[in-house]
Amino acid sequence: MSVNEVYPIIWIDDHVRLIDQNRLPETYTLVDIRYVHDMAEAIRTMIVRGAPAIGVAAAYGMYLGARDIQTTDPATFLQQLEAIAQLLRGTRPTAVNLFWAVARMLKTAHETPGSVPTRKLALLEAAKVINTEDIQTCKAIGDHGLNALLNYSSPLRILTHCNAGALATAGYGTSLGVVRSVWRAGRLAMVYADETRPRFQGAKLTTWECIQEGIPVTLITDSMAAHCMQRGLIDVVIVGADRIAANGDTANKIGTYGLALVAKAHDIPFYVAAPLSTIDFNLVDGSQIPIEERQASEVYQLGSITLCPQGVKFYNPAFDVTPAPLITGIITEYGVYQPDGLKSLSGQQK
Ligand code: MRU
């Protein structure tokens, strides 16, 4: 691995190795995962996070679970695999890549003819393909994003939210992948990273990735984004996505909707960068997207410090939905689409 290539999920011999994203940027710690229960826990506790990365992790989780099934009867094997799929589906509700990857793995298990060992092998191969494809997909998103952004005068000052970088995918990133491509093309002046309360993925992960590669990065608190736009510091906003409905409504990290509204008010283009695996063609619009609510301590606890008095109530939705009319374009591996043009891609989804 060169210093600027970050791969948060890799398969080594007989197990998965994850970068522990809860420990960055203080320590670069690797965690080896050998059992599906440990993978489910890693997704739930956000050792691995970011929609595409969750999908890849779940695909390997399906294999790890399948590997431990003790039967030679294909029908029993498929039945027990469904329980493993259920375990993984129960980890996080919003990122549709999780459900997409689990469904793709189940399809492989069902459609591979022959013995249980043959099906297990096919599952490992399928997980590796999902892993490799995701990196290629992100690079294609980067290329299409760069082309789209060349329409604006550069060097560009780009605002991003949360972490939709290499860490949130199998490598390279979606919105941060576009930033990377713009940077490598010599057209980036600055990336402004929102800190992204309450879990600080922007402060901890996006800035870490930028520093690894020498990408100029300025960290701001979430509440500074509107001011930065008003002061003319931002040319374009690019964010990732956890689930995009068929009409283009987009669920992403909490705070994204507010950014889109402010960008609209200042006539600043607002792009979403995401692979096809993040589009949920079954959902007509964003009102049907399940929004994960996480534990209250994420809101009131900062390390060992409690931020408020006893007796306060809490609300901690992890994502919000940006309505399609606020989105300038959705950058996919197939090109840049208007939100209402996404439906034309439904036949391409694997
Ligand atoms: O809660 P997280 O950290 O999993 O949320 C991540 C995001 O919201 C990302 O922006 C999104 O998954 C896109 S990742 C390429």
Side-chain angles (χ1 to χ4, degrees):
M1 184 182 91
S2 85
V3 67
N4 55 23
E5 298 284 320
V6 175
Y7 298 106
I9 309 164
I10 53 173
W11 179 259
I12 304 180
D13 301 331
D14 61 350
H15 65 276
V16 179
R17 180 162 287 173
L18 301 176
I19 298 175
D20 186 342
Q21 301 194 32
N22 287 325
R23 303 194 67 181
L24 285 172
E26 292 90 356
T27 46
Y28 182 87
T29 311
L30 300 172
V31 182
D32 288 341
I33 304 282
R34 292 186 163 79
Y35 303 101
V36 63
H37 283 89
D38 293 336
M39 185 61 93
E41 195 59 7
I43 296 172
R44 203 183 58 72
T45 59
M46 297 177 66
I47 287 173
V48 59
R49 35 64 54 200
I54 293 171
V56 174
Y60 282 123
M62 286 290 287
Y63 168 68
L64 292 174
R67 184 169 72 181
D68 286 341
I69 294 175
Q70 307 288 324
T71 179
T72 52
D73 172 42
T76 311
F77 173 74
L78 292 173
Q79 210 176 10
Q80 293 186 21
L81 194 61
E82 181 50 45
I84 287 159
Q86 250 338 87
L87 169 74
L88 289 163
R89 286 189 199 110
T91 52
R92 295 194 70 191
T94 304
V96 76
N97 308 61
L98 167 68
F99 303 89
W100 167 86
V102 166
R104 190 164 154 182
M105 294 293 284
L106 279 176
K107 191 162 181 271
T108 300
H110 280 269
E111 290 180 357
T112 302
S115 68
V116 169
T118 308
R119 290 172 201 245
K120 288 183 181 179
L121 210 58
L123 283 171
L124 177 57
E125 286 316 307
K128 287 181 180 173
V129 167
I130 288 173
N131 190 347
T132 311
E133 272 178 12
D134 191 64
I135 301 171
Q136 291 161 351
T137 293
C138 286
K139 291 195 169 152
I141 288 172
D143 290 344
H144 291 300
L146 171 62
N147 276 338
L149 296 193
L150 289 180
N151 292 322
Y152 305 100
S153 64
S154 66
L156 288 164
R157 295 151 314 162
I158 300 177
L159 175 71
T160 190
H161 190 64
C162 195
N163 172 266
L167 289 165
T169 61
Y172 204 74
T174 56
S175 67
L176 207 58
V178 175
V179 167
R180 235 176 211 115
S181 296
V182 172
W183 164 245
R184 290 180 185 183
R187 309 297 279 261
L188 183 79
M190 181 60 67
V191 54
Y192 284 84
D194 276 353
E195 64 175 353
T196 318
R197 266 193 64 86
R199 289 188 64 99
F200 297 101
Q201 291 94 328
K204 294 183 171 185
L205 306 178
T206 297
T207 60
W208 182 81
E209 280 194 39
C210 289
I211 295 295
Q212 300 306 300
E213 190 165 344
I215 297 173
V217 59
T218 298
L219 176 65
I220 58 172
T221 67
D222 300 336
S223 53
M224 295 172 189
H227 171 80
C228 292
M229 291 192 214
Q230 189 185 47
R231 287 291 161 109
L233 296 176
I234 308 297
D235 300 305
V236 57
V237 181
I238 312 181
V239 297
D242 289 84
R243 192 185 294 226
I244 303 175
N247 73 339
D249 289 352
T250 295
N252 190 49
K253 181 53 56 196
I254 192 77
T256 302
Y257 174 36
L259 281 184
L261 285 168
V262 180
K264 184 68 138 191
H266 292 90
D267 210 16
I268 293 170
F270 182 93
Y271 285 94
V272 170
L276 242 60
S277 51
T278 301
I279 303 173
D280 189 343
F281 290 105
N282 295 318
L283 300 188
V284 178
D285 62 47
S287 65
Q288 299 166 304
I289 298 175
I291 300 294
E292 176 180 9
E293 280 188 42
R294 296 188 63 85
Q295 66 267 30
S297 59
E298 290 184 351
V299 176
Y300 70 74
Q301 200 83 38
L302 253 191
S304 58
I305 302 166
T306 302
L307 298 170
C308 59
Q310 294 277 328
V312 176
K313 293 189 171 39
F314 303 98
Y315 179 44
N316 186 19
F319 302 96
D320 59 25
V321 177
T322 300
L326 297 177
I327 299 170
T328 309
I330 299 180
I331 307 165
T332 73
E333 65 270 40
Y334 288 92
V336 183
Y337 288 78
Q338 296 292 305
D340 62 5
L342 280 184
K343 288 191 193 84
S344 64
L345 288 171
S346 65
Q348 311 280 351
Q349 199 174 51
K350 290 183 180 153

